[in-house]
Amino acid sequence: MMLAATSLIAIWKLWTSDILISHTNKSLTPFSAWYVVQYSNYTPTLSRSNYILTVDGQVENPLQLTYEDLMNMPSISVKDTIQCVSDSYFLQANVEWTGVPLKYILNKAGVKPNAIKVVTFGADGYTADLPLYKAMEDDTVVAYMVDGKPLPELHGYPVRMVVPRWWGYCYTKWLVRIHVTDKNYLGYWESRGYPDVARK
């Protein structure tokens, strides 16, 4: 059940030296050796100039954030190993993300006391859910850079989720909406039997 479904597309380039690096000294994985996993054939093309991130649901102050808004918020950098649950040994990459702590955005929106989950939506239609406690951890990040550069298009440009210590299906790419809910909503893979608490 934990193997990728037929609708899952996995494309990766791995050279022997890259595999050795990623599994020994934890050096950053070059973009050329990143794995790519998508749940459909559609790759959104988004622009920073008209990008909008909507924050809504069980919040006191719904937000519409531009790319510039995010760039002007407090940021952190997080070293992380992103891994696909279907093949965690080969489908992984060591990276350094930079972006806004999700907690900062949620606090700005004012999460209501009855909220229990945060649902993230990608421009490709993908969804993932996080328990509120995970969304509020210091290093759960709305990322706009990786390894000091803007995100590559295939890896979620211009903005994606980063959820350290959890499986890659929580790292929603092409992030366009953060929805806070009081319902036990299940994301795309969670609703298909993947763990809702996706700790590695």
Side-chain angles (χ1 to χ4, degrees), residues 6 9 24 32 35 43 52-53 56 64 71 84 97 110-111 119 123 130-131 141 146 152 159 161 168 184:
T6 54
I9 299 171
T24 54
S32 61
Y35 72 91
T43 300
I52 296 290
L53 174 61
D56 62 8
Q64 295 273 295
M71 292 287 287
C84 180
W97 309 101
V111 176
V119 185
L130 295 174
V141 175
V146 63
V159 175
M161 280 304 306
N184 188 29

Side-chain angles (χ1 to χ4, degrees), residues 92-114:
Q92 69 166 261
N94 300 312
V95 300
E96 183 175 63
W97 309 101
T98 299
V100 183
L102 177 57
K103 178 170 74 171
Y104 178 87
I105 295 172
L106 294 176
N107 286 338
K108 191 175 180 65
V111 176
K112 293 183 178 179
N114 58 334

Side-chain angles (χ1 to χ4, degrees), residues 27-198:
S27 296
L28 298 181
T29 304
F31 287 159
S32 61
W34 274 43
Y35 72 91
V36 177
V37 173
Q38 292 175 222
Y39 92 113
S40 76
N41 286 306
Y42 175 54
T43 300
T45 301
L46 302 179
S47 167
R48 286 189 290 184
S49 62
N50 60 14
Y51 175 79
I52 296 290
L53 174 61
T54 298
V55 184
D56 62 8
Q58 296 298 308
V59 296
E60 300 291 348
N61 306 299
L63 303 173
Q64 295 273 295
L65 302 173
T66 65
Y67 188 85
E68 290 302 317
D69 289 333
L70 293 173
M71 292 287 287
N72 289 327
M73 290 179 176
S75 66
I76 61 171
S77 293
V78 176
K79 288 189 176 178
D80 176 44
T81 300
I82 182 172
Q83 294 174 276
C84 180
V85 68
S86 300
D87 187 342
S88 60
Y89 187 84
F90 284 103
L91 300 186
Q92 69 166 261
N94 300 312
V95 300
E96 183 175 63
W97 309 101
T98 299
V100 183
L102 177 57
K103 178 170 74 171
Y104 178 87
I105 295 172
L106 294 176
N107 286 338
K108 191 175 180 65
V111 176
K112 293 183 178 179
N114 58 334
I116 61 171
K117 278 191 170 181
V118 174
V119 185
T120 55
F121 292 77
D124 60 344
Y126 183 77
T127 61
D129 70 87
L130 295 174
L132 184 59
Y133 71 83
K134 182 62 179 176
M136 297 295 282
E137 288 186 357
D138 291 341
D139 59 355
T140 299
V141 175
V142 174
Y144 47 75
M145 295 186 76
V146 63
D147 301 347
K149 304 179 183 68
L151 293 166
E153 186 174 85
L154 279 176
H155 296 289
Y157 178 89
V159 175
R160 75 177 294 167
M161 280 304 306
V162 170
V163 190
R165 299 173 299 283
W166 283 36
W167 292 111
Y169 60 86
C170 299
Y171 290 56
T172 302
K173 295 188 284 189
W174 310 292
L175 181 69
V176 292
R177 184 184 178 200
I178 297 169
H179 179 74
V180 181
T181 182
D182 57 358
K183 306 292 191 301
N184 188 29
Y185 181 94
L186 295 177
Y188 180 84
W189 285 113
E190 294 91 342
S191 67
R192 288 158 173 78
Y194 280 45
D196 193 31
V197 175

